[in-house]
Amino acid sequence: MRYDHVHVLGLATDIGRLVPVTDANATTAYDPEETAAVGQKSVAITAMPGPQLAIRAGRRALTAVRETGGTNQTSMVGLHLHTSLLSCGLDFWSLASHIRSQLGIGAGAALSVNIDAMSNSAVAATDTAATYLTARPDLDTVLITIGDTFTPPFQRFSDHGLVYGDAGAALLIGRHPGLAQLVSTASWCEPDLEGTTRPHPEAVTTHTAANLRAAKRGWLARGEARREHAHTLIRTAVAETVKAALADADLTLDEVRWVLPPFYGRNLLRRQVLEPLGLPEERTLAGLGLRVGHCGAADQILALDHLTRHNLVEPGDRVLLLGIGLGMTWTAAVLEIGTLPATEPAEKGGALAA
């Protein structure tokens, strides 16, 4: 889908303290050799709950638009989309409405709801926001909030090939020019892979602590050649989703300066993103991911914030956000950079962009 009048007005992030992975091995799932092999150096860790990270980021995003010539957008927000990978621990309660209330956003003729596309949620929510703005002329601004803290019983080293980091993020999408124009989006869903994180067929009926490695092993054991089949589906979905978003934007991948996929560590990034797209690692922020870890749905917003604040993009540059979520879903969003905020000096040699 192509858009002509949808823009990123502002964004903000709130990330945990960077802790070397050798000091963060509070779980038995930590494997020094595996972690070293994927290149993970450190991981973002905080004791602050995920919802509070989302609230802090949301407050900053609502004022960040001032840096790009706008005004405080609190009174303008209609639709609010919130996402987190982990449960906040309460049933029969609306986390999205709680965050909206804490941000001082009052009642309005649009929803405040949770969106659940797992690690794809921020990019998928951007797609949803653009669709709403296109269909609802009375709607001016959409706020997206994200927040997760990967505390026990979840183990941040529980997945093969990546480490989970703690962060919050927020993104404002609206009709007026700002940080970037949203040029196009495309999404894809492959439900055949839903079971890769469900430990057994009956798990949908009970609350079960996540053991991601065991769930994937169990899913692979329930059929022949499942690993090859899954890899084929994933690689095809990545390539086709990016192809569709670029086609709607009238661009080729070579005309995009940066591609911002999930912070998956080097092995998963190579297999699921770089090889299917024929993309060099240097055009991603893989180095940043190896410092913060996989921060759930916040990865692409953390990366975009890093680019805009460290002189790594210029007005007119195109950036592609690529979301991948368990379930599985993919969303690609093409942005064209507009008015940049006050910048900070890039780290020596652009180290985080390497």
Side-chain angles (χ1 to χ4, degrees):
M1 177 84 178
R2 185 182 178 98
Y3 311 98
D4 295 321
H5 303 291
V6 179
H7 302 266
V8 175
L9 305 180
L11 59 86
T13 61
D14 195 305
I15 191 167
R17 181 173 63 92
L18 298 186
V19 178
V21 288
T22 52
D23 296 339
N25 56 345
T27 70
T28 56
Y30 171 70
D31 184 332
E33 292 185 0
E34 176 187 306
T35 307
V38 302
Q40 196 69 38
K41 299 178 176 64
S42 58
V43 60
I45 297 179
T46 180
M48 187 172 294
Q52 190 60 35
L53 293 174
I55 292 166
R56 285 159 55 106
R59 287 174 179 155
R60 293 171 183 168
L62 288 167
T63 57
V65 290
R66 294 174 180 170
E67 298 182 27
T68 54
T71 58
N72 192 306
Q73 296 288 308
T74 305
S75 62
M76 304 297 292
V77 172
L79 180 66
H80 167 223
L81 304 172
H82 177 72
T83 185
S84 55
L85 269 65
L86 300 183
S87 168
C88 64
L90 293 176
D91 293 328
F92 290 93
W93 180 62
S94 172
L95 176 55
S97 292
H98 168 70
I99 290 173
R100 184 185 184 117
S101 174
Q102 293 298 303
L103 292 175
I105 303 170
L111 297 172
S112 189
V113 295
N114 296 328
I115 186 167
D116 182 12
M118 300 302 289
S119 294
N120 183 29
S121 292
V123 191
T126 301
D127 185 6
T128 302
T131 303
Y132 262 82
L133 288 168
T134 301
R136 289 274 305 269
D138 62 313
L139 194 65
D140 185 80
T141 306
V142 179
L143 174 65
I144 300 166
T145 55
I146 308 115
D148 270 301
T149 301
F150 293 95
T151 53
F154 188 90
Q155 297 181 342
R156 66 178 71 250
F157 291 93
S158 62
D159 208 348
H160 184 73
L162 57 85
V163 183
Y164 288 84
D166 304 335
L171 193 68
L172 272 168
I173 308 291
R175 300 184 182 279
H176 310 293
L179 182 67
Q181 180 184 354
L182 179 63
V183 182
S184 67
T185 62
S187 291
W188 185 258
C189 180
E190 183 48 78
D192 280 356
L193 299 176
E194 167 273 326
T196 55
T197 52
R198 186 156 44 92
H200 52 83
E202 293 75 29
V204 293
T205 63
T206 60
H207 290 282
T208 306
N211 184 329
L212 299 179
R213 296 172 190 248
K216 289 179 182 178
R217 285 196 298 266
W219 185 85
L220 291 170
R222 293 198 291 272
E224 294 184 6
R226 277 196 166 190
R227 185 182 302 274
E228 292 76 12
H229 178 60
H231 285 168
T232 298
L233 292 179
I234 290 169
R235 293 164 68 94
T236 300
V238 165
E240 291 300 316
T241 304
V242 170
K243 179 181 176 181
L246 290 173
D248 284 345
D250 293 324
L251 295 172
T252 67
L253 192 58
D254 289 340
E255 295 175 290
V256 173
R257 183 170 181 181
W258 293 98
V259 175
L260 307 181
F263 293 148
Y264 271 177
R266 285 210 158 98
N267 292 343
L268 281 177
L269 177 68
R270 173 179 52 81
R271 293 201 306 268
Q272 294 195 9
V273 177
L274 302 182
E275 290 179 355
L277 297 179
L279 186 72
E281 183 180 296
E282 291 73 21
R283 288 176 59 195
T284 73
L285 284 180
L288 178 60
L290 295 176
R291 292 189 61 184
V292 303
H294 176 39
C295 298
D299 286 354
Q300 295 81 8
I301 313 308
L302 294 173
L304 183 60
D305 184 56
H306 184 80
L307 287 180
T308 60
R309 292 197 177 275
H310 289 274
N311 293 312
L312 296 173
V313 285
E314 300 175 351
D317 283 345
R318 284 74 169 247
V319 177
L320 186 143
L321 313 185
L322 176 61
I324 304 174
L326 295 175
M328 285 186 69
T329 66
W330 295 260
T331 301
V334 178
L335 304 178
E336 182 172 319
I337 300 298
T339 304
L340 292 169
T343 57
E344 301 169 13
E347 299 201 8
K348 184 178 179 181
L352 293 183

